[in-house]
């Protein structure tokens, strides 16, 4: 393990962001668990990559966002320049240091997916052109109409495909369902490094060693 990666977990209020982190790291979430609305919490964990190495990740559990529009105007963003209020966007300081974003929606609440559409646009506009890793998690929080579930998940999958973001469906009650998205995130944040950042210097060193052996002979 070397650096500590910084990942922001965000989405609409009440979609299970805290439950996902608590279950992933501690495995202590059950049907009787309850959580207070989050202002900000920080979790640090050693997460395995798909290469089998473990990397340290700092997760920032953020306050839930309000839906940008209500009533008849509710739905996905129509204008990329639309002005949102403070409780509808991430606080600006997250955009300055985050290396990754885990965006969570509730498969039983279609409006929570609409929030992610606004959120993605806001992140893209304000992340200072740096590269970040993003993924979307659909958290199934309870029983719901199967047709509504399929429509929401299908809409999410299609949107993620257009945005080139990985989409995962999980339930916070089922800890193993959480492993794949977070292994994916950690792997992306910690790519394999080249054996040497100075190949020409390495070659020169080998040539010098060879010449030294020749001189000794």
């Amino acid at each position: 393990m070397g650096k500590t990666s910084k990942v922001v977990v965000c989405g609409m209020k009440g979609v299970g962001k805290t439950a996902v982190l608590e279950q992933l790291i501690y495995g202590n979430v059950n049907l009787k668990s309850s959580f207070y609305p989050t202002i900000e919490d920080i979790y640090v964990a050693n997460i395995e990559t798909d290469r089998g190495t473990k990397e340290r990740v700092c997760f920032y559990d953020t306050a839930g966002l309000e839906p940008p529009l209500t009533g008849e105007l509710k739905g996905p963003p129509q204008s990329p320049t639309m002005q949102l209020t403070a409780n509808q966007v991430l606080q600006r300081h997250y955009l300055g240091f985050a290396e990754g974003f885990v965006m969570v929606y509730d498969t039983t609440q279609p409006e929570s997916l609409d929030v992610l559409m606004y959120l993605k646009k806001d992140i893209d506009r304000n992340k200072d052109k740096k590269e970040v890793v993003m993924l979307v998690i659909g958290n199934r929080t309870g029983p719901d109409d199967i047709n509504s579930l399929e429509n929401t998940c299908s809409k999410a999958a299609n949107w993620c495909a257009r945005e080139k973001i990985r989409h995962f469906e999980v339930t916070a009650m089922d800890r193993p369902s959480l492993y794949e998205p977070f292994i994916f995130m950690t792997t992306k944040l910690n790519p394999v490094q080249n054996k040497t950042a100075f190949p020409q210097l390495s070659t020169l060193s080998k040539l010098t060693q060879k010449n030294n052996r020749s001189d000794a002979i």
Side-chain angles (χ1 to χ4, degrees):
M1 290 183 293
K3 66 165 187 166
T4 298
S5 301
K6 298 178 177 64
V7 175
V8 172
V9 181
C10 48
M12 194 179 85
K13 62 181 183 179
V15 297
K17 300 182 294 297
T18 300
V20 165
L21 288 173
E22 287 280 338
Q23 188 75 300
L24 173 73
I25 297 171
Y26 304 116
N28 61 2
V29 177
N30 55 53
L31 293 175
K32 296 182 179 179
S33 299
S34 60
F35 300 96
Y36 292 104
T38 301
I39 297 176
E40 180 189 276
D41 283 319
I42 298 176
Y43 297 79
V44 179
N46 296 325
I47 307 293
E48 193 169 292
T49 69
D50 62 9
R51 301 183 299 275
T53 60
K54 287 190 175 181
E55 303 292 345
R56 187 176 296 274
V57 183
C58 183
F59 295 102
Y60 294 81
D61 185 14
T62 61
L65 304 177
E66 296 284 348
L69 298 176
T70 58
E72 295 180 355
L73 297 179
K74 187 173 71 173
Q78 302 298 321
S79 170
T81 60
M82 178 179 172
Q83 296 298 310
L84 303 177
T85 62
N87 63 348
Q88 295 169 341
V89 296
L90 275 178
Q91 295 183 31
R92 301 296 91 174
H93 68 279
Y94 292 124
L95 303 177
F97 65 73
E99 300 165 76
F101 292 90
V102 175
M103 299 185 289
V104 184
Y105 73 97
D106 183 345
T107 60
T108 69
Q109 299 184 66
E111 64 273 19
S112 66
L113 177 60
D114 296 334
V115 167
L116 297 194
M117 295 180 180
Y118 286 97
L119 182 57
K120 170 68 165 53
K121 287 182 178 293
D122 185 55
I123 292 172
D124 286 342
R125 288 199 303 269
N126 294 284
K127 61 184 176 64
D128 298 329
K129 297 183 179 179
K130 68 177 181 179
E131 292 297 320
V132 296
V133 180
M134 293 186 184
L135 63 82
V136 169
I137 288 179
N139 179 35
R140 187 171 183 176
T141 60
D144 60 323
D145 178 74
I146 188 64
N147 291 326
S148 175
L149 171 65
E150 290 178 351
N151 289 339
T152 303
C153 292
S154 176
K155 181 180 176 182
N158 290 336
W159 173 65
C160 288
R162 291 195 302 271
E163 296 290 333
K164 296 181 173 58
I165 306 173
R166 282 292 302 271
H167 174 253
F168 299 87
E169 294 179 32
V170 306
T171 173
M173 294 296 106
D174 179 21
R175 193 181 191 191
S177 74
L178 304 174
Y179 297 158
E180 185 180 3
F182 287 93
I183 288 174
F184 171 83
M185 170 64 75
T186 306
T187 301
K188 286 293 185 181
L189 290 170
N190 296 275
V192 176
Q193 300 295 323
N194 293 331
K195 291 184 178 180
T196 174
F198 306 98
Q200 293 179 343
L201 182 60
S202 176
T203 302
L204 178 60
S205 176
K206 291 179 181 178
L207 289 174
T208 301
Q209 292 173 10
K210 182 177 180 181
N211 291 335
N212 290 339
R213 287 197 297 271
S214 297
D215 293 340
I217 295 174

